[in-house]
Amino acid sequence: METEQAPVPTLPPRRTALRNGDADSQRMFRRIGALSSAVTDRPMSLYAAAVLRIGYGLLYLAFLLREFPHRDEIWGPGSPWTPALARQLFDQTGWFSILTLSDSQAYFEICYATAVVTSVLFVLGWRTRMVSILFAVVVTSFHARAIFMTDGGDNLILLMAVYLSLTACGRRWSLDARRTRLVASGKAEHSVAGPRTPSFRYQLRVKRELLGTVLHNCAMVVIAAQVCIVYGSAGLYKVQGGSWENGTALHYVMNLDLFRPWPALSLMVDSHPILIAVTTYMTVLLQVAFPFVLFGRLKYIVLTMLLGMHVGIAVLMGLPLFSGAMIVADAVFLPDRFYTFLGQRWRRTFQRAAAAGAEEPSQRESPVVPAQPGSAG
């Protein structure tokens, strides 16, 4: 006896489209939720932010100390670019500098000493939230005061100083982090267990931490984007030049007296035309491809090659400030696990050296006493 199967009901096309639309909307909402949680849950790349803080603070401190004998000719009242000319330029560009508030030599010396102290405190990470803002004001003021008398390295430091003032760059490797650990350990020892109702002060602190996390994550993304823009625009600009196209650009650079701190070394490098051509093409390739290799393991190879390129620029072209600024900027693309690994290796090496130093005195035996007659020895 044959049995008839009940026909399977089919959904109307309109209802099927609605269900597909609901699935797409749910997928979109999940992605938005994941992105929101990534921005608000916890601050990312805290070790990279600390490296940026220490690196740019040391660079600017070295820059100020290097130019200390020439500070008056560059930024002071005795500069050919006088404070009056600087103020006229500010009216057109909208810049601002605390150095032009007074033409007094004593006021300039106080500002210079303040800049040095601020750089030291920024490196140490003391009250970083306040000092980072002061560091950005100092870098902006000195850059705007002598905008025609410095190279491009301080321009990148200026941008990074402004971005770092929005980050939580004092959470790692700083005096602030050490003070936070001590306070947390003290509270843990004296805390009393028991339910507590969240107070208004506690809620305000939570909101402030959430705002700080959002600002930090957004600023770190902007820093990474800024580095990509620097490399990408530089590579695309080089592609348009004929000397970069035929591989002779570095040959002309090696023969410019303005960028030859070591003429003998520049001539030695220039005597290898194949090396010059390969380096020229690799420079363009690395800069253009840099934004596209950031999400894979190839970025470690590219970052290593860029490190060698910047070291070469610092030595052969005499631009240590620019090269140092770019090397520090590249640190934003290294994950936190890389810095924690380096920290663990450093602590193990230090503990090993300390243990070896403690064993040396114990191994030094006292002079051997000759055995007495009739003794068992």
Side-chain angles (χ1 to χ4, degrees), residues 152-236:
D154 56 346
N155 191 14
L156 183 61
I157 296 178
L158 167 65
L159 294 174
M160 295 301 175
V162 175
Y163 298 151
L164 286 175
S165 64
L166 302 174
T167 65
C169 56
R171 298 274 189 94
R172 298 290 185 272
W173 295 340
S174 65
L175 296 178
D176 289 347
R178 181 175 179 273
R179 184 176 63 252
T180 302
R181 287 196 301 269
L182 293 177
V183 171
S185 62
K187 287 183 177 180
E189 292 177 357
H190 299 87
S191 62
V192 179
R196 291 183 180 181
T197 57
S199 61
F200 175 76
R201 194 180 208 177
Y202 174 78
Q203 294 177 356
L204 185 62
R205 183 164 59 90
V206 169
K207 297 296 183 183
R208 187 183 63 181
E209 291 179 357
L210 177 62
L211 178 61
T213 300
V214 173
L215 288 177
H216 168 83
N217 291 339
C218 293
M220 294 301 292
V221 172
V222 171
I223 290 174
Q226 181 68 60
V227 178
C228 292
I229 290 173
V230 170
Y231 280 122
S233 60
L236 294 177

Side-chain angles (χ1 to χ4, degrees), residues 87-141:
R87 284 190 286 266
Q88 291 180 11
L89 182 64
F90 294 162
D91 294 337
Q92 300 176 8
T93 60
W95 283 86
F96 172 78
S97 175
I98 60 175
L99 299 176
T100 59
L101 297 179
S102 174
D103 297 344
S104 171
Q105 184 69 31
Y107 174 76
F108 169 71
E109 297 296 343
I110 292 174
C111 290
Y112 205 88
T114 303
V116 173
V117 173
T118 301
S119 300
V120 173
L121 295 179
F122 190 60
V123 172
L124 297 177
W126 181 81
R127 304 292 179 184
T128 316
R129 183 65 68 183
M130 176 186 64
V131 172
S132 62
I133 298 175
L134 184 58
F135 181 75
V137 172
V138 165
V139 174
T140 304
S141 298

